[in-house]
Amino acid sequence: MIQVEADISDGLPSFSLVGFLSSEVKEARERVQIGMKNAGFHFPPKKITINLSPADIRKGGTGYDLAIAVSILAAFGHISQEFIKNIVFIGELSLEGKIMEVQGVIPMVYTAYENGMGCCVVPKGNLAEAGIVKGIRAIGVSGLGELADMLRAESFPAKKGRGDQCQKEIEELDFCDVKGQRMVRRAIEVAAAGMHNLLMIGPPGSGKTMLARRIPGIMPELAFEEQMELSKIYSVAGLLSKEQPIVTKRPFRNPHHTITQTALIGGGILPKPGEVSLASGGVLFLDELAEFKRQTIEVLRQPLEDGSVTVSRIDGTYCYPAHVQLVAAMNPCHCGYYPDSRKCTCTSWQIKSYLQKLSQPMLERMDICVETLPLSYQDFEETGPGVENEPSAKIRERVAAAQALQNNRYRGEKFFHNARLTPSLIKKYCRLTPDAEIYLASAFEKMEFSARVYHKILKVGRTIADLAGEEQIEKEHIAEAVCYRAIDKKYWGN
């Protein structure tokens, strides 16, 4: 919360702004002076000093213009200082005196609500976005003159009901369109139930992208708190529209393999959230994973573990959420057809160098690795109520039931999904039957798993048990989880 103070005194006429300001805030002096003049306000030549408090926080953006103009009106006695004490003013002022839209309105209004403010005045173009926040009244204005008339009368227009534009439906892709790939569909269901990272590897045209695009459709609906968190991120990034001022669907972000590190995790000269934060609560899909620069992929390692991205700058530290499910797809070689010797034209060295583009630490952060096989003609001709034709709605019911179990289990923790379990909590929540322990010990010795992969298998086994409604992890649950790591041996020899 920034408080704007204005002082009017005798002396050499001047207009100064203080309070650790960025260049765009300093430029507000000219915008406010000319905008107020063109809105019909004329003041005697005085020394005007504006302070943005607290002074030790750097202020950026153009959203302070309106608050500065209102503080000057109050200092000259045109409006009541008492009336505006509980009101927040957000907006950019044009030279004509119009109030222009700004980015990041939702987090601003939500912060005002958290600090007990009763009303928030925003540009009319941001009204739908600001109206999403419950518990605080949002007033939309188009010009400084219009706002001054309201403040003089000490009354605002009657409050209107919330429109239904926020419930705009977005057409979802359905799993009933997918033919074949029964094992991959099962792996996707397990991954969605526990928010596990997923790697699909297979030849071109085997349906990797088609499957990935349907994952958000089997995830449970966003809770209001999740909608607010996502909408804050999209508001700061300037990605909300008047037609859709709130994010109601789980995001699916699919950046191109030429993306930079900054665009992927966030940052920049003026820090903004990256793709990993824009996908928070949903899916970040990296298609053609081996085509990404290796260093670009490596920067994801810490956000995937921590669930957040911290960007440090000289003027402050910015923290963006990154509770994302990473889904990646890649070919097994340059031509894409390894290990089919009839089609693959790559040498063993080319195959090895291509697969080594994905580092071992990054591979171990993929909870589930599964192979997509080429489809046969019979796969396309299959019809009927089989597993291959199961719609997303039915899969979503099982995923929602499994996540509900996790929400109850981790109520006292700082997370709600099995994928976020720490090693210390794995011992507490991942209890195995004696048969399951024997099987896991045998698999660990034969396949020489690392400690991280061992923990991944336990977490995936916990999710499979949740899908089955079992309290303890059975042998078949561990066996399925181990199968999701067998692809490591086939392609990477790990």
Side-chain angles (χ1 to χ4, degrees):
M1 292 290 290
I2 303 299
Q3 182 168 343
V4 181
E5 304 170 319
D7 178 77
I8 309 296
S9 60
D10 294 329
L12 190 65
S14 63
F15 191 143
S16 58
L17 296 172
V18 296
F20 197 13
L21 312 177
S22 64
S23 58
E24 63 267 21
V25 181
K26 293 177 181 177
E27 292 167 357
R29 178 175 52 195
E30 283 72 25
R31 290 194 299 270
V32 171
Q33 275 184 311
I34 300 174
M36 294 183 71
K37 181 192 71 174
N38 291 331
F41 297 98
H42 300 282
F43 306 112
K46 295 284 186 176
K47 181 180 180 180
I48 303 175
T49 303
I50 305 294
N51 178 45
L52 277 65
S53 176
D56 60 341
I57 298 177
R58 185 171 176 81
K59 291 84 179 176
T62 57
Y64 300 101
D65 292 7
L66 187 58
I68 293 171
V70 170
S71 68
I72 294 174
L73 291 175
F76 274 107
H78 292 274
I79 58 177
S80 169
Q81 296 185 30
E82 190 66 28
F83 180 70
I84 63 174
K85 274 187 176 180
N86 203 35
I87 304 175
V88 173
F89 298 91
I90 303 169
E92 177 183 342
L93 202 60
S94 74
L95 299 185
E96 295 179 296
K98 295 181 179 179
I99 300 173
M100 312 299 291
E101 300 174 27
V102 295
Q103 292 183 3
V105 165
I106 286 184
M108 295 182 198
V109 176
Y110 193 78
T111 302
Y113 160 72
E114 290 180 321
N115 283 270
M117 307 302 287
C119 181
C120 191
V121 176
V122 299
K124 188 160 286 186
N126 292 123
L127 180 59
E129 188 179 340
I132 300 304
V133 183
K134 298 177 181 179
I136 184 171
R137 186 179 181 187
I139 306 295
V141 291
S142 56
L144 185 58
E146 174 190 355
L147 174 60
D149 292 339
M150 295 180 188
L151 297 178
R152 287 194 196 100
E154 298 189 4
S155 65
F156 291 117
K159 184 178 181 181
K160 297 181 180 180
R162 297 177 187 271
D164 59 356
Q165 73 272 21
C166 301
Q167 305 301 323
K168 181 180 177 182
E169 293 296 328
I170 301 174
E171 184 179 358
E172 290 183 347
L173 302 173
D174 203 293
F175 263 97
C176 65
D177 301 326
V178 179
K179 304 295 183 181
Q181 304 296 2
R182 178 177 298 187
M183 181 179 178
V184 184
R185 289 164 60 94
R186 168 63 178 176
I188 287 175
E189 180 179 337
V190 174
M195 290 296 285
H196 298 288
N197 300 327
L198 171 69
L199 172 64
M200 294 181 286
I201 180 170
S206 56
K208 300 186 292 294
T209 303
M210 185 179 186
L211 288 160
R213 290 187 179 277
R214 283 157 176 76
I215 295 177
I218 65 173
M219 292 180 169
E221 297 291 330
L222 285 171
F224 180 75
E225 292 76 14
E226 293 177 300
Q227 293 180 12
M228 286 301 305
E229 182 179 73
L230 267 174
S231 299
K232 288 180 188 178
I233 300 170
Y234 277 68
S235 179
V236 170
L239 297 178
L240 292 180
S241 63
K242 297 178 183 178
E243 296 76 19
Q244 189 70 13
I246 185 173
V247 179
T248 59
K249 300 293 182 181
R250 294 194 179 273
F252 179 88
R253 304 293 297 184
N254 183 16
H256 193 260
H257 63 262
T258 57
I259 191 172
T260 63
Q261 296 180 38
T262 301
L264 186 61
I265 67 166
I269 299 175
L270 299 175
K272 290 290 183 69
E275 290 290 335
V276 70
S277 297
L278 295 173
S280 187
V283 174
L284 175 64
F285 179 49
L286 302 184
D287 200 5
E288 304 295 344
L289 181 64
E291 301 299 329
F292 284 76
K293 292 182 179 179
R294 180 162 178 165
Q295 192 58 37
T296 301
I297 301 174
E298 294 299 310
V299 298
L300 285 174
R301 285 159 55 176
Q302 185 175 352
L304 291 177
E305 293 289 333
D306 299 341
S308 62
V309 175
T310 301
V311 180
S312 298
R313 293 291 181 268
I314 192 171
D315 60 336
T317 301
Y318 305 80
C319 187
Y320 302 117
H323 305 292
V324 65
Q325 180 184 5
L326 176 63
V327 178
M330 64 179 290
N331 295 332
C333 63
H334 284 284
C335 71
Y337 293 104
Y338 175 78
D340 189 344
S341 59
R342 295 172 302 173
K343 294 183 178 180
C344 183
T345 60
C346 301
T347 64
S348 59
W349 180 86
Q350 288 175 322
I351 295 170
K352 184 177 181 180
S353 63
Y354 189 83
L355 292 172
Q356 285 181 344
K357 290 183 178 181
L358 186 63
S359 69
Q360 182 64 25
M362 193 64 197
L363 180 63
E364 290 183 352
R365 281 169 171 79
M366 309 304 293
D367 301 26
I368 297 175
C369 302
V370 67
E371 186 176 14
T372 58
L373 301 175
L375 298 178
S376 64
Y377 180 78
Q378 287 73 21
D379 292 327
F380 293 102
E381 291 301 309
E382 285 182 354
T383 57
V387 176
E388 285 78 14
N389 301 101
E390 192 174 26
S392 294
K394 286 189 176 181
I395 304 175
R396 189 190 304 122
E397 290 176 3
R398 296 195 295 268
V399 170
Q403 289 200 4
L405 289 175
Q406 296 169 50
N407 291 340
N408 291 329
R409 183 186 302 130
Y410 307 132
R411 186 164 294 174
E413 308 293 345
K414 296 181 180 180
F415 57 88
F416 299 100
H417 301 104
N418 291 329
R420 307 297 303 166
L421 280 169
T422 61
S424 60
L425 293 176
I426 286 176
K427 294 182 180 179
K428 178 179 179 182
Y429 293 112
C430 296
R431 295 191 298 274
L432 280 69
T433 62
D435 288 345
E437 289 184 359
I438 295 172
Y439 182 87
L440 181 57
S442 175
F444 185 85
E445 291 179 2
K446 290 179 180 179
M447 303 185 73
E448 298 179 350
F449 292 136
S450 68
R452 181 180 282 116
V453 172
Y454 168 75
H455 290 143
K456 296 288 186 186
I457 290 174
L458 286 173
K459 289 188 281 187
V460 173
R462 177 69 271 172
T463 300
I464 297 171
D466 289 339
L467 284 168
E470 300 290 344
E471 182 64 28
Q472 283 190 306
I473 303 175
E474 304 283 349
K475 177 182 176 181
E476 57 266 26
H477 305 149
I478 288 294
E480 182 178 349
V482 170
C483 286
Y484 294 139
R485 304 303 311 190
I487 193 174
D488 295 7
K489 290 287 184 182
K490 179 176 181 180
Y491 290 105
W492 285 273
N494 300 319

